[in-house]
Amino acid sequence: MTSVNLGMPAPPPPVLSPRRKTRQIQVGKVGVGSDFPISVQSMTTTQTTDINATLQQIAELTASGCDIVRVACPSPDDAAALPAIAQKSQIPVIADIHFQPKYVYAAIDAGCAAVRVNPGNIRKFDDQVKEIAKAASDAGTSIRIGVNAGSLDKRIMEKYGKATPEALVESAVWEASLFEEHDFHDFKISVKHNDPVVMVRAYEMLAERGDWPLHLGVTEAGPAFQGTIKSATAFGSLLSQGIGDTIRVSLSAPPVEEIKVGNQILESLNLKPRKLEIVSCPSCGRAQVDVYTLADKVTAGLEGMEVPLRVAVMGCVVNGPGEAREADLGVASGNGKGQIFVKGEVIKTVPEALIVETLIEEANRIAAESDAPSGSPDVVVG
């Protein structure tokens, strides 16, 4: 008898809710909308005028899994740098425009994949929508209408007094209508707020008002720990309802960290194929090994692994063997040694000092052998 791999695709992993149906747009080579995967974005922190530094940061973001990148364009010198950046970037570039409408046209002429505009702080924006729509349409450039709690149009602020969900949504719907009056539909919308509760409610309300693709963000989310929690909470709430087509985690941290968090959020909800996943116990009085150190060392040793792999690092004999059996690779530790599991079977027992080394070796071996599509069944014929 021989074992034949049929190459049949695995069924898609379960999700909490189907994606909300939206219109589809293009941001350069990246499709945005319910027919496409949810994309992860970030923004450069370099001076846009420093073209080499900006391109270097874009390359780092690309390597970390960034799909779309935004660059600031507050001055003529920044606008002058956009053509080189847009041409040489490996991923689509969005120009971030505030205050001056002329930079919208400069970004379109520079070949940027999209332009982010905040109508609330662009002077005389409403009067130029027709011209902006025509220039964007002629160039195949999409637009993001970016409504922010901190820069709402003064007319909206006078009506609501503060950036309520209703205020954010009214502003977004109004600006969307201006573009649609001129038969321009290649835009997505964001309604960002620093309070996840306000932000979630605004997006829920906006999703009910139209079929626009939505870009999710908790603006000014804060330092890495706080910002990660706020973003994960807000995004999880919306994505679990099928709301959201692109995301940006805003952290007071290097942009690469935003991409790591964003991808992890999507992977956790089965909205992006999972790669390396470390399952480790929180430790307790039963633990007979230093689980924290073991998990950190295994994570560091497997950094960058692209193959989907679930690795369990467990510290006692209560839950350890069960969790290790459920993982692709795992260890149940105790009494100065560790039982190594592969696909539910104990393959060896090693001294505690060799646990990390053994797990990394086995993980690399599994990765090297995983040439067949994930989940493809083996059928025995004879």
Side-chain angles (χ1 to χ4, degrees):
M1 292 192 299
T2 58
S3 179
V4 179
N5 191 294
L6 295 181
M8 296 172 62
V15 294
L16 292 170
S17 181
R19 292 274 295 282
R20 160 184 165 267
K21 293 298 181 182
T22 75
R23 68 184 67 166
Q24 316 303 312
I25 68 171
Q26 287 293 137
V27 179
K29 64 183 180 182
V30 177
V32 173
S34 54
D35 290 351
F36 300 99
I38 297 170
S39 54
V40 180
Q41 301 187 21
S42 186
M43 186 171 183
T44 55
T45 58
T46 56
Q47 295 295 316
T48 304
T49 51
D50 189 338
I51 296 173
N52 289 336
T54 300
L55 287 171
Q56 176 61 35
Q57 191 169 76
I58 291 174
E60 293 168 358
L61 287 166
T62 304
S64 298
C66 183
D67 299 304
I68 300 170
V69 66
R70 186 155 47 107
V71 300
C73 184
S75 75
D77 290 340
D78 296 310
L82 288 178
I85 294 170
Q87 180 181 6
K88 295 179 181 178
S89 172
Q90 307 96 316
I91 55 177
V93 172
I94 299 178
D96 193 61
I97 308 300
H98 297 272
F99 307 122
Q100 294 286 349
K102 63 183 179 181
Y103 298 134
V104 178
Y105 303 108
I108 293 171
D109 292 341
C112 290
V115 180
R116 184 267 177 143
V117 296
N118 186 345
N121 66 18
I122 296 182
R123 288 184 287 275
K124 297 182 179 179
F125 181 85
D126 295 359
D127 299 334
Q128 298 197 37
V129 172
K130 181 178 180 179
E131 289 74 16
I132 290 172
K134 184 180 188 306
S137 181
D138 290 346
T141 306
S142 61
I143 285 175
R144 170 157 72 93
I145 298 173
V147 177
N148 257 43
S151 50
L152 280 174
D153 187 288
K154 64 179 183 179
R155 295 166 292 184
I156 299 291
M157 288 299 290
E158 289 172 357
K159 178 177 179 178
Y160 290 95
K162 62 179 181 178
T164 64
E166 293 80 6
L168 294 168
V169 171
E170 181 172 324
S171 177
V173 172
W174 167 249
E175 299 299 343
S177 73
L178 294 179
F179 280 99
E180 290 167 340
E181 285 177 3
H182 300 292
D183 200 29
F184 185 84
H185 305 277
D186 293 333
F187 62 86
K188 60 182 184 289
I189 304 177
S190 63
V191 281
K192 295 187 178 183
H193 197 286
N194 58 61
D195 184 332
V197 175
V198 175
M199 173 267 200
V200 168
R201 185 63 190 130
Y203 277 101
E204 290 173 338
M205 293 170 61
L206 185 60
E208 295 173 353
R209 298 287 298 272
D211 67 348
W212 312 287
L214 301 181
H215 170 74
L216 304 187
V218 178
T219 189
E220 294 106 26
F225 178 76
Q226 174 182 294
T228 295
I229 298 299
K230 290 171 72 173
S231 297
T233 300
F235 292 2
S237 177
L238 291 166
L239 293 169
S240 67
Q241 300 178 64
I243 298 172
D245 304 289
T246 73
I247 64 172
R248 191 260 171 117
V249 178
S250 298
L251 302 178
S252 299
V256 165
E257 297 303 311
E258 298 183 349
I259 299 304
K260 291 179 181 178
V261 174
N263 279 313
Q264 191 63 58
I265 290 171
L266 295 180
E267 288 180 30
S268 296
L269 292 167
N270 284 339
L271 294 169
K272 191 179 184 73
R274 299 191 185 199
K275 296 179 182 177
L276 176 66
E277 181 182 8
I278 303 294
V279 178
S280 58
C281 66
S283 193
C284 68
R286 297 190 301 265
Q288 296 177 326
V289 296
D290 183 351
V291 179
Y292 304 150
T293 299
L294 279 182
D296 285 345
K297 288 183 176 179
V298 172
T299 301
L302 298 179
E303 184 176 5
M305 179 168 283
E306 296 293 316
V307 174
L309 191 66
R310 191 168 186 259
V311 181
V313 181
M314 307 301 294
C316 79
V317 295
V318 176
N319 295 321
E323 289 286 356
R325 285 192 183 94
E326 289 295 317
D328 299 302
L329 170 65
V331 60
S333 310
N335 297 320
K337 56 189 178 182
Q339 284 187 315
I340 307 297
F341 291 76
V342 173
K343 303 294 183 182
E345 301 292 334
V346 177
I347 63 165
K348 66 179 75 172
T349 300
V350 299
E352 182 178 331
L354 296 180
I355 288 176
V356 173
E357 176 185 331
T358 304
L359 285 176
I360 292 173
E361 288 177 355
E362 290 298 326
N364 287 323
R365 180 184 62 78
I366 293 171
E369 293 176 354
S370 62
D371 294 329
S374 177
S376 298
D378 286 335
V379 177
V380 177
V381 295

